[in-house]
Amino acid sequence: MNPFFKFVLKLMSSPKINMQEDYQFVRKMQQLFSKGPKKGYIILDHKIYSKNHSHNIPVRVFHPKEKRHEDVLVFVHGGGWVTGNIDTYTTTCINMAELTGRVVYSVNYRLAPEHPYPAGLEDCYQVIDVLLNHLELTRLADASKLTLIGDSAGANLIAAVSLKLRDEGKIVPAKQILLYPVTYWDHTENSPFESIRTNGYDYGLTAKKMQEYMELYSPDLEIRQSAYISPLMAFDLSRQPDTLIITAEFDPLRDEGEAYGEKLQSAGNHVVIHRIKETVHGFITYPTFVQPVVEAYEVINAFLDRE
């Protein structure tokens, strides 16, 4: 790993950063540095009503300049369920649309701690359920052409939505892509996953931050151990979408993401697990020319193109 980049990551890993106290500052910084679409690039903003009509759920649609495929992606952003939004992920979604040649729908779910679990999950579930059952909104001829994709906490929400759709007898997407997902409830030294100890201190996302995010999302320890927050705890993982899991070598969440893929596979699902070397958590937000992003989209496109 580049020594300067490693030094920057170490600075970002300071134990003085407390997400339970500093999350609002982090949000402001993310918003300050977020960029809108480049001149000439058109995005469309829509809203879908929540199930009880208490609020609208914003959905931003990104059309690639050259549409090469008819299927669509529904993206759920990361940020520990606490930070991030469709503005801070606009550049990432533009890159996703351009690099896959597909239309991308980005969901702006409610954030903790103002809206703890299950608020964010309910928003994502509602949007995805509506899009699967009202194909006129995406102009798809077949629900199997809608793929779910998320990174980090967003990947966690995607996994939870897929489980919940199956549990409630709804349409389950044909494919899901989980980028360095959160799948387990414990990110302390007691974690069963070695990557929490080897990668949990100096690579940007620390085990401490991850535990703080978890506690903001759901203060109740027992609830954090349930399948819709910790998919790895699910008793039954059968009848899930074909799944691509991409992990990062120096990510504290690496092992739990790969363990989830292995458990999905053992339950009879088609799963591809791909670890990207020499990179860290959150790399999908990097510029498109860096090697981890190039490699990730090679794998993503191969998975999407597979019949």
Side-chain angles (χ1 to χ4, degrees), residues 183-271:
T183 68
Y184 195 66
W185 58 274
D186 186 0
H187 300 94
T188 69
E189 281 294 319
N190 296 320
S191 168
F193 300 111
E194 186 60 29
S195 61
I196 289 293
R197 287 173 284 280
T198 57
N199 299 334
Y201 300 95
D202 297 324
Y203 297 101
L205 176 67
T206 62
K208 174 180 175 290
K209 285 182 192 174
M210 195 61 242
Q211 193 66 20
E212 289 164 356
Y213 280 134
M214 270 275 183
E215 291 169 6
L216 286 169
Y217 183 46
S218 177
D220 188 304
L221 175 60
E222 187 173 347
I223 293 175
R224 289 203 299 272
Q225 297 179 46
S226 63
Y228 294 158
I229 293 182
S230 301
L232 197 52
M233 300 290 286
F235 176 75
D236 179 11
L237 286 176
S238 65
R239 294 179 288 121
Q240 287 299 278
D242 289 356
T243 301
L244 168 63
I245 293 179
I246 297 181
T247 61
E249 181 179 6
F250 297 117
D251 183 358
L253 304 182
R254 182 195 67 205
D255 292 351
E256 66 187 74
E258 294 175 3
Y260 188 59
E262 292 163 3
K263 193 170 180 181
L264 281 171
Q265 209 163 32
S266 297
N269 303 288
H270 173 76
V271 181

Coordinates of all heavy atoms in Angstrom, one line a residue, residues 183-271:
T183 N -22.3 -7.6 8.3 CA -23.2 -8.8 8.4 C -23.3 -9.3 9.8 O -24.1 -10.2 10.1 CB -22.7 -9.9 7.5 OG1 -21.5 -10.4 8.0 CG2 -22.6 -9.5 6.1
Y184 N -22.5 -8.7 10.8 CA -22.5 -9.3 12.1 C -22.5 -8.1 13.1 O -22.2 -7.0 12.8 CB -21.1 -10.0 12.3 CG -21.1 -11.0 13.5 CD1 -22.0 -12.1 13.6 CD2 -20.3 -10.7 14.6 CE1 -21.9 -12.9 14.7 CE2 -20.2 -11.5 15.7 CZ -21.1 -12.6 15.7 OH -21.1 -13.4 16.8
W185 N -23.0 -8.4 14.3 CA -23.3 -7.5 15.3 C -22.2 -7.0 16.3 O -22.2 -6.0 16.9 CB -24.4 -8.0 16.2 CG -24.1 -9.3 16.9 CD1 -24.3 -10.5 16.4 CD2 -23.6 -9.4 18.2 NE1 -23.8 -11.5 17.3 CE2 -23.4 -10.8 18.4 CE3 -23.2 -8.6 19.2 CZ2 -22.9 -11.4 19.6 CZ3 -22.7 -9.1 20.4 CH2 -22.5 -10.5 20.6
D186 N -21.1 -7.8 16.4 CA -20.0 -7.5 17.3 C -18.7 -7.1 16.6 O -18.2 -7.9 15.8 CB -19.8 -8.8 18.2 CG -18.8 -8.5 19.3 OD1 -18.3 -7.4 19.5 OD2 -18.5 -9.5 20.1
H187 N -18.3 -5.9 16.9 CA -17.0 -5.4 16.3 C -16.0 -5.1 17.4 O -15.1 -4.2 17.2 CB -17.3 -4.3 15.4 CG -18.2 -4.7 14.2 ND1 -19.6 -4.5 14.3 CD2 -17.9 -5.3 13.1 CE1 -20.1 -5.0 13.2 NE2 -19.2 -5.5 12.4
T188 N -16.1 -5.7 18.5 CA -15.2 -5.6 19.6 C -14.1 -6.6 19.5 O -14.1 -7.5 18.6 CB -15.9 -5.7 21.0 OG1 -16.3 -7.0 21.2 CG2 -17.1 -4.8 21.1
E189 N -13.2 -6.7 20.5 CA -12.2 -7.7 20.5 C -12.8 -9.1 20.6 O -12.1 -10.1 20.4 CB -11.2 -7.5 21.6 CG -10.2 -6.4 21.3 CD -9.2 -6.8 20.2 OE1 -8.8 -7.9 20.2 OE2 -8.9 -5.9 19.4
N190 N -14.0 -9.2 21.0 CA -14.7 -10.5 21.2 C -15.2 -11.0 19.9 O -15.7 -12.2 19.8 CB -15.8 -10.4 22.2 CG -15.4 -10.0 23.6 OD1 -14.3 -10.5 24.0 ND2 -16.1 -9.1 24.2
S191 N -15.1 -10.3 18.8 CA -15.6 -10.7 17.5 C -14.9 -12.0 17.1 O -13.7 -12.2 17.3 CB -15.3 -9.7 16.4 OG -15.5 -10.2 15.1
P192 N -15.6 -12.9 16.4 CA -15.0 -14.2 16.0 C -14.2 -14.0 14.7 O -13.6 -14.9 14.2 CB -16.2 -15.1 15.7 CG -17.3 -14.1 15.3 CD -17.1 -12.9 16.2
F193 N -14.1 -12.8 14.2 CA -13.5 -12.5 12.9 C -12.1 -11.9 13.1 O -12.0 -10.8 13.6 CB -14.4 -11.7 12.0 CG -15.7 -12.4 11.7 CD1 -16.9 -11.9 12.2 CD2 -15.7 -13.6 10.9 CE1 -18.1 -12.5 12.0 CE2 -16.9 -14.2 10.7 CZ -18.1 -13.7 11.2
E194 N -11.1 -12.5 12.5 CA -9.7 -12.0 12.7 C -9.5 -10.7 12.1 O -8.7 -9.9 12.6 CB -8.8 -13.0 12.1 CG -7.3 -12.7 12.3 CD -6.9 -12.7 13.8 OE1 -7.6 -13.4 14.6 OE2 -6.0 -12.0 14.1
S195 N -10.2 -10.3 11.0 CA -10.0 -9.0 10.3 C -10.4 -7.9 11.2 O -9.8 -6.8 11.0 CB -10.8 -9.0 9.0 OG -12.1 -9.1 9.2
I196 N -11.2 -8.1 12.2 CA -11.5 -7.0 13.1 C -10.3 -6.6 13.9 O -10.0 -5.5 14.2 CB -12.7 -7.4 14.1 CG1 -14.0 -7.5 13.3 CG2 -12.8 -6.5 15.3 CD1 -14.5 -6.1 12.9
R197 N -9.5 -7.6 14.3 CA -8.3 -7.4 15.1 C -7.1 -6.9 14.2 O -6.4 -6.0 14.6 CB -7.9 -8.6 15.8 CG -8.9 -8.9 17.0 CD -8.6 -10.2 17.7 NE -9.1 -11.3 16.9 CZ -10.4 -11.7 16.9 NH1 -11.3 -11.0 17.6 NH2 -10.8 -12.7 16.2
T198 N -6.9 -7.5 13.0 CA -5.8 -7.1 12.2 C -6.0 -5.8 11.4 O -5.0 -5.1 11.1 CB -5.5 -8.3 11.2 OG1 -6.7 -8.5 10.4 CG2 -5.1 -9.5 11.9
N199 N -7.3 -5.5 11.1 CA -7.5 -4.3 10.2 C -8.4 -3.3 10.9 O -8.8 -2.3 10.3 CB -8.3 -4.8 9.0 CG -7.5 -5.7 8.1 OD1 -6.3 -5.8 8.1 ND2 -8.2 -6.5 7.3
G200 N -8.6 -3.5 12.2 CA -9.5 -2.6 12.9 C -9.0 -1.4 13.6 O -9.7 -0.7 14.3
Y201 N -7.8 -0.9 13.2 CA -7.2 0.2 13.9 C -6.6 1.3 13.0 O -6.6 2.4 13.4 CB -6.1 -0.3 14.9 CG -6.7 -1.2 16.0 CD1 -6.6 -2.6 15.8 CD2 -7.3 -0.8 17.1 CE1 -7.1 -3.5 16.7 CE2 -7.9 -1.6 18.0 CZ -7.8 -3.0 17.8 OH -8.3 -3.9 18.7
D202 N -6.0 0.9 11.9 CA -5.2 1.8 11.1 C -5.7 2.1 9.7 O -4.9 2.7 8.9 CB -3.7 1.3 11.1 CG -3.1 1.3 12.5 OD1 -3.4 2.1 13.3 OD2 -2.3 0.3 12.7
Y203 N -6.8 1.6 9.3 CA -7.2 1.7 7.9 C -8.5 2.5 7.6 O -9.3 2.2 6.8 CB -7.4 0.3 7.4 CG -6.1 -0.5 7.4 CD1 -5.8 -1.5 8.4 CD2 -5.1 -0.3 6.4 CE1 -4.6 -2.2 8.4 CE2 -3.9 -1.0 6.4 CZ -3.7 -1.9 7.4 OH -2.5 -2.6 7.4
G204 N -8.7 3.6 8.4 CA -9.8 4.4 8.1 C -11.1 4.0 8.9 O -11.4 4.7 9.9
L205 N -11.8 3.0 8.5 CA -12.9 2.5 9.3 C -12.3 1.6 10.4 O -11.6 0.6 10.1 CB -13.8 1.6 8.4 CG -14.9 1.0 9.2 CD1 -15.9 2.0 9.8 CD2 -15.7 -0.1 8.4
T206 N -12.5 2.0 11.6 CA -11.9 1.2 12.7 C -13.0 0.3 13.3 O -14.2 0.6 13.1 CB -11.4 2.1 13.8 OG1 -12.4 2.9 14.3 CG2 -10.3 3.0 13.2
A207 N -12.6 -0.7 14.1 CA -13.6 -1.5 14.8 C -14.4 -0.7 15.8 O -15.6 -0.9 16.0 CB -12.8 -2.6 15.5
K208 N -13.7 0.3 16.4 CA -14.3 1.2 17.4 C -15.5 2.0 16.7 O -16.6 2.1 17.2 CB -13.3 2.1 18.0 CG -13.9 3.2 18.9 CD -12.8 4.1 19.4 CE -13.3 5.3 20.3 NZ -14.0 6.3 19.4
K209 N -15.2 2.6 15.5 CA -16.2 3.4 14.8 C -17.4 2.5 14.4 O -18.5 2.8 14.5 CB -15.6 4.0 13.5 CG -14.7 5.2 13.7 CD -14.2 5.6 12.3 CE -13.1 6.7 12.4 NZ -12.6 7.0 11.1
M210 N -17.0 1.3 13.9 CA -18.1 0.3 13.5 C -19.0 0.0 14.7 O -20.2 -0.1 14.5 CB -17.4 -0.9 12.9 CG -18.4 -1.8 12.1 SD -19.1 -0.9 10.7 CE -20.8 -1.0 11.1
Q211 N -18.4 -0.2 15.8 CA -19.3 -0.5 17.0 C -20.1 0.7 17.4 O -21.3 0.5 17.8 CB -18.4 -1.0 18.2 CG -19.1 -1.6 19.3 CD -19.7 -2.9 19.0 OE1 -19.4 -3.6 18.0 NE2 -20.7 -3.3 19.8
E212 N -19.6 1.9 17.3 CA -20.3 3.1 17.6 C -21.5 3.3 16.6 O -22.6 3.6 17.0 CB -19.4 4.3 17.6 CG -18.5 4.3 18.8 CD -17.3 5.3 18.6 OE1 -17.1 5.9 17.5 OE2 -16.5 5.4 19.6
Y213 N -21.2 3.0 15.3 CA -22.3 3.1 14.3 C -23.4 2.1 14.7 O -24.6 2.4 14.6 CB -21.7 2.7 12.9 CG -21.0 3.8 12.2 CD1 -19.8 3.5 11.6 CD2 -21.5 5.1 12.1 CE1 -19.1 4.5 10.9 CE2 -20.8 6.1 11.4 CZ -19.6 5.8 10.8 OH -19.0 6.7 10.1
M214 N -23.0 0.9 15.0 CA -24.0 -0.1 15.4 C -24.9 0.3 16.5 O -26.1 0.1 16.5 CB -23.3 -1.4 15.8 CG -23.0 -2.4 14.6 SD -24.5 -3.4 14.3 CE -23.9 -4.5 13.0
E215 N -24.3 0.9 17.5 CA -25.0 1.3 18.7 C -25.9 2.5 18.4 O -27.0 2.6 19.0 CB -24.0 1.6 19.8 CG -23.3 0.3 20.3 CD -22.2 0.6 21.3 OE1 -22.0 1.8 21.7 OE2 -21.5 -0.3 21.6
L216 N -25.5 3.3 17.5 CA -26.4 4.4 17.1 C -27.6 3.9 16.3 O -28.7 4.4 16.4 CB -25.6 5.5 16.2 CG -24.7 6.4 17.0 CD1 -23.8 7.1 16.0 CD2 -25.4 7.3 17.9
Y217 N -27.3 2.9 15.4 CA -28.4 2.3 14.6 C -29.4 1.6 15.4 O -30.6 1.7 15.2 CB -27.7 1.4 13.6 CG -28.7 0.8 12.6 CD1 -29.7 1.5 11.9 CD2 -28.6 -0.6 12.3 CE1 -30.5 0.9 11.0 CE2 -29.4 -1.2 11.3 CZ -30.4 -0.4 10.7 OH -31.2 -1.0 9.7
S218 N -28.9 0.8 16.4 CA -29.8 0.1 17.3 C -29.2 0.0 18.7 O -28.3 -0.8 18.9 CB -30.1 -1.3 16.7 OG -30.9 -2.0 17.7
P219 N -29.6 0.8 19.6 CA -29.0 0.7 21.0 C -29.2 -0.6 21.7 O -28.5 -0.9 22.6 CB -29.8 1.9 21.7 CG -30.3 2.8 20.6 CD -30.6 1.9 19.5
D220 N -30.2 -1.3 21.3 CA -30.6 -2.6 22.0 C -29.7 -3.7 21.5 O -29.8 -4.1 20.3 CB -32.1 -2.9 21.7 CG -32.6 -4.1 22.6 OD1 -32.0 -5.2 22.5 OD2 -33.5 -3.9 23.3
L221 N -28.9 -4.3 22.3 CA -28.0 -5.4 21.9 C -28.7 -6.6 21.4 O -28.3 -7.2 20.4 CB -27.1 -5.8 23.1 CG -26.2 -7.0 22.9 CD1 -25.2 -6.7 21.8 CD2 -25.4 -7.3 24.2
E222 N -29.8 -7.0 22.0 CA -30.5 -8.1 21.5 C -31.1 -7.9 20.1 O -31.0 -8.8 19.3 CB -31.7 -8.4 22.5 CG -32.4 -9.7 22.2 CD -33.4 -10.1 23.2 OE1 -33.4 -9.5 24.3 OE2 -34.2 -11.0 22.9
I223 N -31.6 -6.7 19.8 CA -32.1 -6.5 18.5 C -30.9 -6.5 17.5 O -31.1 -6.9 16.3 CB -32.8 -5.1 18.5 CG1 -34.1 -5.2 19.3 CG2 -33.2 -4.7 17.1 CD1 -34.9 -3.9 19.5
R224 N -29.8 -6.0 17.9 CA -28.6 -6.0 16.9 C -28.2 -7.4 16.5 O -27.6 -7.6 15.5 CB -27.4 -5.3 17.6 CG -27.6 -3.8 17.7 CD -26.2 -3.1 17.8 NE -25.4 -3.5 19.0 CZ -25.4 -3.0 20.2 NH1 -26.3 -2.0 20.4 NH2 -24.6 -3.4 21.1
Q225 N -28.6 -8.4 17.3 CA -28.3 -9.7 16.9 C -29.3 -10.4 16.1 O -29.2 -11.6 15.7 CB -28.1 -10.6 18.2 CG -26.9 -10.1 19.1 CD -26.8 -10.8 20.4 OE1 -26.8 -12.1 20.4 NE2 -26.6 -10.1 21.5
S226 N -30.4 -9.7 15.7 CA -31.4 -10.3 14.9 C -31.0 -10.2 13.4 O -30.1 -9.5 13.0 CB -32.7 -9.5 15.0 OG -32.5 -8.1 14.6
A227 N -31.6 -11.1 12.6 CA -31.2 -11.3 11.2 C -31.3 -10.0 10.3 O -30.5 -9.9 9.4 CB -32.0 -12.4 10.6
Y228 N -32.2 -9.1 10.6 CA -32.4 -7.9 9.8 C -31.3 -6.9 10.1 O -31.2 -5.9 9.3 CB -33.8 -7.4 9.9 CG -34.9 -8.3 9.3 CD1 -36.2 -8.1 9.7 CD2 -34.6 -9.3 8.4 CE1 -37.2 -9.0 9.2 CE2 -35.6 -10.1 7.9 CZ -36.9 -10.0 8.3 OH -37.9 -10.8 7.8
I229 N -30.5 -7.0 11.1 CA -29.4 -6.2 11.4 C -28.1 -7.0 11.2 O -27.1 -6.4 10.6 CB -29.4 -5.6 12.8 CG1 -30.6 -4.6 12.9 CG2 -28.1 -4.9 13.1 CD1 -30.7 -4.0 14.3
S230 N -28.1 -8.2 11.6 CA -27.0 -9.1 11.4 C -27.4 -10.3 10.6 O -27.7 -11.4 11.1 CB -26.5 -9.6 12.8 OG -26.1 -8.5 13.6
P231 N -27.3 -10.1 9.2 CA -27.8 -11.2 8.4 C -27.1 -12.6 8.6 O -27.7 -13.6 8.3 CB -27.5 -10.7 6.9 CG -27.5 -9.2 7.1 CD -26.9 -9.0 8.5
L232 N -25.9 -12.5 9.1 CA -25.1 -13.7 9.3 C -25.8 -14.6 10.4 O -25.5 -15.7 10.6 CB -23.7 -13.4 9.7 CG -22.6 -14.4 9.6 CD1 -22.6 -15.2 8.3 CD2 -21.2 -13.8 9.9
M233 N -26.6 -13.9 11.2 CA -27.3 -14.6 12.3 C -28.6 -15.3 11.8 O -29.3 -16.0 12.6 CB -27.7 -13.6 13.4 CG -26.4 -13.0 14.1 SD -25.4 -14.1 15.1 CE -26.5 -14.3 16.5
A234 N -29.0 -15.1 10.6 CA -30.2 -15.7 10.1 C -30.2 -17.2 10.1 O -29.2 -17.8 9.7 CB -30.5 -15.2 8.6
F235 N -31.2 -17.8 10.6 CA -31.3 -19.3 10.7 C -31.4 -19.9 9.3 O -30.9 -20.9 9.0 CB -32.5 -19.7 11.6 CG -32.7 -21.2 11.6 CD1 -31.8 -22.0 12.4 CD2 -33.7 -21.8 10.9 CE1 -32.0 -23.4 12.4 CE2 -33.9 -23.2 11.0 CZ -33.1 -23.9 11.7
D236 N -32.2 -19.2 8.4 CA -32.5 -19.7 7.1 C -32.1 -18.7 6.1 O -32.6 -17.6 6.0 CB -34.0 -20.0 7.0 CG -34.4 -20.5 5.6 OD1 -33.5 -20.9 4.8 OD2 -35.6 -20.6 5.3
L237 N -31.1 -19.1 5.2 CA -30.6 -18.2 4.2 C -31.0 -18.8 2.8 O -30.4 -18.4 1.8 CB -29.1 -18.0 4.3 CG -28.7 -17.1 5.4 CD1 -27.1 -17.0 5.5 CD2 -29.2 -15.7 5.2
S238 N -31.9 -19.6 2.7 CA -32.3 -20.2 1.4 C -33.1 -19.2 0.6 O -33.6 -18.2 1.2 CB -33.2 -21.5 1.7 OG -34.4 -21.1 2.3
R239 N -33.3 -19.5 -0.7 CA -34.1 -18.6 -1.6 C -33.7 -17.2 -1.6 O -34.5 -16.3 -1.5 CB -35.6 -18.8 -1.3 CG -36.0 -20.2 -1.6 CD -37.5 -20.4 -1.3 NE -37.8 -20.5 0.2 CZ -38.6 -19.6 0.8 NH1 -39.2 -18.7 0.1 NH2 -38.8 -19.7 2.1
Q240 N -32.4 -16.9 -1.6 CA -31.9 -15.6 -1.7 C -31.4 -15.3 -3.1 O -31.2 -16.2 -3.9 CB -30.8 -15.4 -0.7 CG -31.2 -15.3 0.7 CD -32.2 -14.1 0.9 OE1 -31.8 -13.0 1.1 NE2 -33.5 -14.4 0.9
P241 N -31.2 -14.0 -3.5 CA -30.8 -13.7 -4.9 C -29.4 -14.3 -5.1 O -28.6 -14.6 -4.2 CB -30.7 -12.2 -4.9 CG -31.6 -11.8 -3.7 CD -31.5 -12.8 -2.7
D242 N -29.1 -14.5 -6.4 CA -27.7 -14.7 -6.8 C -26.9 -13.5 -6.2 O -27.3 -12.4 -6.4 CB -27.6 -14.8 -8.3 CG -28.2 -16.0 -8.9 OD1 -28.6 -16.9 -8.2 OD2 -28.2 -16.1 -10.2
T243 N -25.8 -13.8 -5.6 CA -25.1 -12.8 -4.9 C -23.6 -12.7 -5.2 O -22.9 -13.7 -5.3 CB -25.2 -13.1 -3.3 OG1 -26.6 -13.2 -3.0 CG2 -24.5 -12.0 -2.5
L244 N -23.2 -11.4 -5.4 CA -21.8 -11.1 -5.6 C -21.4 -10.3 -4.3 O -22.0 -9.3 -4.0 CB -21.6 -10.2 -6.8 CG -20.2 -9.5 -6.9 CD1 -19.1 -10.6 -7.0 CD2 -20.1 -8.6 -8.1
I245 N -20.4 -10.8 -3.6 CA -19.8 -10.1 -2.5 C -18.4 -9.7 -2.8 O -17.5 -10.6 -3.1 CB -19.8 -11.0 -1.2 CG1 -21.3 -11.3 -0.8 CG2 -19.1 -10.4 -0.1 CD1 -21.5 -12.1 0.4
I246 N -18.1 -8.4 -2.7 CA -16.7 -7.9 -2.9 C -16.2 -7.4 -1.6 O -16.9 -6.5 -0.9 CB -16.7 -6.8 -4.0 CG1 -17.2 -7.4 -5.3 CG2 -15.3 -6.2 -4.1 CD1 -17.2 -6.4 -6.5
T247 N -15.1 -7.8 -1.2 CA -14.4 -7.4 0.1 C -13.1 -6.7 -0.2 O -12.6 -6.8 -1.3 CB -14.2 -8.5 1.0 OG1 -13.4 -9.5 0.4 CG2 -15.6 -9.2 1.4
A248 N -12.5 -6.1 0.8 CA -11.3 -5.4 0.7 C -10.3 -6.0 1.6 O -10.6 -6.3 2.8 CB -11.4 -3.9 1.0
E249 N -9.0 -6.2 1.2 CA -8.0 -6.9 2.0 C -7.8 -6.2 3.4 O -7.7 -7.0 4.3 CB -6.7 -6.9 1.2 CG -5.6 -7.6 2.0 CD -4.3 -7.6 1.2 OE1 -4.2 -7.0 0.1 OE2 -3.4 -8.3 1.7
F250 N -7.8 -4.9 3.4 CA -7.5 -4.2 4.7 C -8.7 -3.6 5.4 O -8.6 -2.6 6.1 CB -6.4 -3.2 4.5 CG -5.1 -3.7 4.0 CD1 -4.6 -3.4 2.8 CD2 -4.4 -4.6 4.8 CE1 -3.4 -3.9 2.3 CE2 -3.2 -5.2 4.3 CZ -2.7 -4.8 3.1
D251 N -9.8 -4.3 5.2 CA -11.1 -3.9 5.8 C -11.4 -4.7 7.0 O -11.3 -5.9 7.0 CB -12.2 -4.0 4.8 CG -13.6 -3.6 5.2 OD1 -13.7 -3.1 6.4 OD2 -14.5 -3.7 4.4
P252 N -11.8 -4.1 8.2 CA -12.1 -4.8 9.3 C -13.4 -5.7 9.1 O -13.5 -6.7 9.7 CB -12.4 -3.8 10.4 CG -12.6 -2.5 9.7 CD -11.7 -2.6 8.5
L253 N -14.2 -5.4 8.1 CA -15.4 -6.1 7.8 C -15.2 -7.3 6.8 O -16.1 -8.0 6.4 CB -16.5 -5.2 7.2 CG -16.9 -4.0 8.1 CD1 -18.0 -3.3 7.4 CD2 -17.3 -4.5 9.5
R254 N -13.9 -7.4 6.4 CA -13.6 -8.4 5.3 C -14.1 -9.8 5.6 O -14.8 -10.4 4.9 CB -12.1 -8.4 5.1 CG -11.6 -9.4 4.0 CD -10.1 -9.6 4.1 NE -9.8 -10.4 5.4 CZ -8.6 -10.4 6.0 NH1 -7.7 -9.6 5.5 NH2 -8.4 -11.1 7.1
D255 N -13.8 -10.3 6.8 CA -14.1 -11.7 7.1 C -15.6 -12.0 7.3 O -16.1 -13.0 6.9 CB -13.3 -12.1 8.4 CG -11.8 -12.2 8.2 OD1 -11.4 -12.0 7.0 OD2 -11.1 -12.3 9.2
E256 N -16.3 -11.0 7.9 CA -17.7 -11.3 8.1 C -18.5 -11.2 6.8 O -19.5 -11.9 6.6 CB -18.3 -10.3 9.1 CG -18.3 -8.8 8.7 CD -18.8 -7.9 9.9 OE1 -18.0 -7.7 10.8 OE2 -19.9 -7.5 9.8
G257 N -18.0 -10.3 5.9 CA -18.6 -10.3 4.5 C -18.4 -11.6 3.8 O -19.3 -12.2 3.2
E258 N -17.2 -12.2 3.8 CA -16.9 -13.4 3.2 C -17.6 -14.6 3.9 O -18.1 -15.5 3.2 CB -15.4 -13.6 3.1 CG -14.7 -12.6 2.2 CD -13.2 -12.7 2.2 OE1 -12.6 -13.6 2.9 OE2 -12.6 -11.8 1.5
A259 N -17.7 -14.5 5.2 CA -18.5 -15.6 5.9 C -19.9 -15.6 5.5 O -20.6 -16.7 5.4 CB -18.3 -15.3 7.4
Y260 N -20.5 -14.4 5.3 CA -21.9 -14.3 4.8 C -22.1 -15.0 3.4 O -23.0 -15.7 3.2 CB -22.4 -12.9 4.8 CG -23.9 -12.8 4.5 CD1 -24.8 -13.4 5.4 CD2 -24.4 -12.1 3.4 CE1 -26.2 -13.3 5.1 CE2 -25.7 -12.0 3.2 CZ -26.6 -12.6 4.0 OH -28.0 -12.5 3.8
G261 N -21.1 -14.7 2.6 CA -21.1 -15.4 1.3 C -21.1 -16.9 1.3 O -21.8 -17.6 0.7
E262 N -20.2 -17.4 2.2 CA -20.1 -18.8 2.4 C -21.3 -19.4 3.0 O -21.7 -20.5 2.6 CB -18.9 -19.1 3.3 CG -17.5 -18.8 2.6 CD -16.4 -18.7 3.6 OE1 -16.6 -18.9 4.8 OE2 -15.2 -18.3 3.2
K263 N -22.0 -18.7 3.9 CA -23.2 -19.2 4.5 C -24.4 -19.2 3.4 O -25.2 -20.1 3.4 CB -23.6 -18.4 5.7 CG -24.7 -19.1 6.6 CD -24.8 -18.4 7.9 CE -25.9 -19.1 8.7 NZ -26.1 -18.4 10.0
L264 N -24.4 -18.2 2.6 CA -25.4 -18.1 1.5 C -25.2 -19.3 0.6 O -26.1 -20.0 0.2 CB -25.3 -16.8 0.8 CG -25.9 -15.6 1.3 CD1 -25.5 -14.4 0.5 CD2 -27.4 -15.7 1.4
Q265 N -23.9 -19.6 0.3 CA -23.6 -20.7 -0.6 C -24.0 -22.0 0.0 O -24.6 -22.9 -0.7 CB -22.1 -20.6 -0.9 CG -21.6 -21.2 -2.2 CD -20.2 -20.7 -2.6 OE1 -19.4 -20.6 -1.7 NE2 -20.0 -20.5 -3.8
S266 N -23.7 -22.2 1.2 CA -24.1 -23.4 1.9 C -25.6 -23.7 1.9 O -26.1 -24.8 2.0 CB -23.6 -23.4 3.4 OG -22.2 -23.4 3.4
A267 N -26.4 -22.5 1.9 CA -27.8 -22.6 1.9 C -28.4 -22.9 0.5 O -29.6 -22.9 0.3 CB -28.4 -21.4 2.4
G268 N -27.5 -23.1 -0.5 CA -28.0 -23.4 -1.9 C -28.1 -22.3 -2.9 O -28.6 -22.5 -4.0
N269 N -27.6 -21.1 -2.5 CA -27.6 -20.0 -3.4 C -26.4 -19.9 -4.3 O -25.3 -20.4 -3.9 CB -27.7 -18.7 -2.6 CG -28.9 -18.7 -1.7 OD1 -30.1 -18.6 -2.1 ND2 -28.7 -18.8 -0.4
H270 N -26.5 -19.3 -5.4 CA -25.3 -19.0 -6.3 C -24.6 -17.8 -5.7 O -25.2 -16.7 -5.6 CB -25.7 -18.8 -7.7 CG -24.6 -18.3 -8.6 ND1 -23.6 -19.2 -9.0 CD2 -24.2 -17.1 -9.0 CE1 -22.7 -18.6 -9.7 NE2 -23.0 -17.3 -9.7
V271 N -23.3 -17.9 -5.4 CA -22.6 -16.8 -4.7 C -21.2 -16.7 -5.4 O -20.5 -17.7 -5.6 CB -22.4 -17.0 -3.2 CG1 -21.6 -15.9 -2.6 CG2 -23.8 -17.2 -2.5

